[in-house]
Amino acid sequence: MEYPAVFLKPEVHSLAKKYVTPEVFEEHKNKKTSRGYTLLDCMQSGIQNLDSDTGLYAGDEECYTAFGNVLDNIVEDYHAPYKIADGHTPDMNPDHLNCPNPDPEGKYIRSTRIRVARNLKGYGLAPNLGKQERLDIERKVVEVLTSLTGDLAGKYYPLQGMDEATRQKLVDDHFLFKKGDRFLESAGCNKEWPEGRGIYHNDAKTFLVWINEEDQLRIISMEKGSDIGSVFRRLCKAVNEIDAKLGFQHSPGLGYITSCPTNLGTGMRASVHVKIPKAHAHPDFKAICDKYHIQPRGIHGEHSESTGEDAGVYDISNRRRLGLSEVRCVQDMYDGLMKLLEIEKS
Ligand code: ADP
Ligand code: DAR
């Protein structure tokens, strides 16, 4: 196995390139996890997508410790200033949240969504799952979800056999994932698509679970408007019930294990879709997002732009997910959002 020559190109700026130098690659290139995954396997997305920021997906939880401190370096770079030795502390108690509704009149915020990523113990991660494993995961998770009651009660809709109009409407209405993007494609997450993939949701579509996209589970709470407390309370209730019935990959230093290092820890992304054209145009917009650990996106999923009638509406979410609790993740989003709304209004 040879060091990927594309990494020598100046336009490649990924964390994989930064920390997998030719010397580091030589040291670890022949190592394999017990599921047979190599460092080169992990780097495929960053090799095939030169614009990657991270450029690496773990094929199983051993990847995080099998290649020396390569992944530790990537994790501690993205989630700075967290140090893995410090240990990750969770907090999913909604009473600890201090997020009064920021826009009760609905002048700016269209909708709120908070999601966490989870992966079952005893399986690989999305880039390195066999077809039968994916089907087993789907069966086990659906069995637990369809036992939920109250406002979490709902139905599972497999992608296999879903008519195209229904699928597209779910995607357009921001409920369902698109077929994995080019980064996930190169990482190997889209094998045997769409078998073993699907979406569970309640009638109101305020509680949803994606199965076998980038992670085995994405547990989602969302609703129109900006009642962040309500969205977080629903998510905490659902996660506590699901965590009690399924065992998830987890470690003291990395928290919940995910395929992408950026999602480790809480696996949580708390977002609002908010109309802030003036704040976005402000010369300090990027500096303010960096200061408040905010990641701006378009509103049609990662790597999308907000155009046409959605121009000026952005997906604003917390960037950090590891080394701070779930309550803090939501507070990060909230504090950054309040600053951006202050600028928008001024
Ligand atoms: P994630 O990493 O959480 O999967 P993506 O950016 O890929 O995030 O978005 C997944 C889907 O969730 C997309 O359809 C996106 O439009 C939708 N979405 C994300 N945040 C919100 C929000 N606050 N309100 C409504 N839809 C949202
Ligand atoms: N664009 C890829 C993905 C990084 C974070 N997003 C995830 N995991 N969906 C990159 O390596 O930059």
Side-chain angles (χ1 to χ4, degrees):
M1 276 185 273
E2 292 312 311
Y3 183 75
V6 292
F7 273 19
L8 301 175
K9 293 184 174 193
E11 68 265 32
V12 176
H13 62 278
S14 66
L15 292 178
K17 170 180 175 173
K18 182 175 176 182
Y19 292 105
V20 185
T21 61
E23 299 72 24
V24 166
F25 182 72
E26 279 309 306
E27 184 182 353
H28 302 295
K29 68 180 188 179
N30 295 318
K31 293 176 180 174
K32 288 187 177 186
T33 67
S34 52
R35 288 175 59 93
Y37 218 68
T38 66
L39 179 57
L40 191 60
D41 290 329
C42 292
M43 293 158 56
Q44 283 310 307
S45 186
I47 292 166
Q48 296 174 42
N49 299 281
L50 304 190
D51 55 338
S52 290
D53 299 317
T54 311
L56 179 142
Y57 288 87
D60 57 57
E61 58 187 311
E62 283 178 42
C63 291
Y64 284 102
T65 52
F67 312 119
N69 56 10
V70 168
L71 270 87
D72 285 3
N73 292 335
I74 289 174
V75 167
E76 292 185 347
D77 188 308
Y78 181 87
H79 296 282
Y82 176 68
K83 295 296 179 196
I84 293 169
D86 295 349
H88 172 78
T89 308
D91 179 0
M92 286 201 89
N93 180 341
D95 297 341
H96 296 168
L97 201 59
N98 177 24
C99 296
N101 191 330
D103 179 26
E105 302 83 34
K107 284 178 63 181
Y108 300 92
I109 299 171
R110 284 190 180 171
S111 53
T112 301
R113 174 182 183 268
I114 307 177
R115 63 87 165 155
V116 293
R118 293 287 187 273
N119 290 286
L120 294 185
K121 278 180 189 158
Y123 291 93
L125 297 170
N128 187 26
L129 278 179
K131 174 175 165 180
Q132 193 52 51
E133 286 184 296
R134 211 176 286 119
L135 295 173
D136 289 350
I137 290 162
E138 180 187 41
R139 178 178 45 76
K140 284 179 182 174
V141 174
V142 169
E143 191 178 327
V144 167
L145 296 177
T146 46
S147 73
L148 297 175
T149 59
D151 72 340
L152 302 182
K155 192 165 174 271
Y156 178 63
Y157 305 86
L159 240 56
Q160 185 87 333
M162 186 184 284
D163 75 83
E164 181 53 21
T166 303
R167 189 197 66 79
Q168 192 58 55
K169 176 145 177 45
L170 282 168
V171 171
D172 293 346
D173 291 349
H174 308 291
F175 296 122
L176 177 61
F177 49 82
K178 298 171 273 196
K179 176 173 181 180
D181 59 26
R182 57 190 164 93
F183 301 96
L184 298 181
E185 178 70 33
S186 338
C189 297
N190 298 344
K191 291 195 280 290
E192 289 107 17
W193 191 276
E195 287 183 280
R197 282 82 173 194
I199 181 170
Y200 170 95
H201 64 72
N202 62 5
D203 290 344
K205 296 196 186 87
T206 54
F207 170 59
L208 311 93
V209 179
W210 294 353
I211 295 182
N212 287 323
E213 187 231 15
E214 177 178 333
D215 288 296
Q216 293 166 20
L217 286 84
R218 289 291 177 89
I219 305 170
I220 301 160
S221 173
M222 66 195 287
E223 57 189 69
K224 297 287 184 204
S226 52
D227 188 344
I228 296 167
S230 160
V231 175
F232 189 56
R233 273 191 300 280
R234 181 185 303 110
L235 181 72
C236 293
K237 179 167 175 262
V239 169
N240 289 335
E241 290 196 27
I242 294 167
D243 277 3
K245 298 176 179 172
L246 291 167
F248 294 120
Q249 296 174 32
H250 184 278
S251 82
L254 299 178
Y256 287 105
I257 304 298
T258 55
S259 61
C260 180
T262 64
N263 282 313
L264 289 165
T266 61
M268 178 172 280
R269 194 171 82 83
S271 67
V272 290
H273 281 179
V274 57
K275 192 166 182 71
I276 46 165
K278 301 186 187 75
H280 186 263
H282 192 288
D284 296 343
F285 177 72
K286 186 183 179 319
I288 291 161
C289 287
D290 291 347
K291 179 182 176 188
Y292 284 83
H293 310 292
I294 289 294
Q295 182 184 43
R297 298 182 181 189
I299 64 167
H300 297 286
E302 190 176 18
H303 313 301
S304 71
E305 296 301 326
S306 293
T307 55
E309 64 182 17
D310 296 324
V313 184
Y314 294 91
D315 174 322
I316 295 296
S317 66
N318 60 297
R319 184 179 177 279
R320 299 185 301 178
R321 309 199 211 292
L322 168 64
L324 69 171
S325 70
E326 289 81 0
V327 167
R328 265 307 324 162
C329 285
V330 181
Q331 207 70 51
D332 264 11
M333 180 273 280
Y334 185 84
D335 295 348
L337 169 66
M338 294 307 281
K339 183 63 184 173
L340 292 172
L341 285 175
E342 177 194 311
I343 292 170
E344 185 67 17
K345 291 170 185 175
S346 66

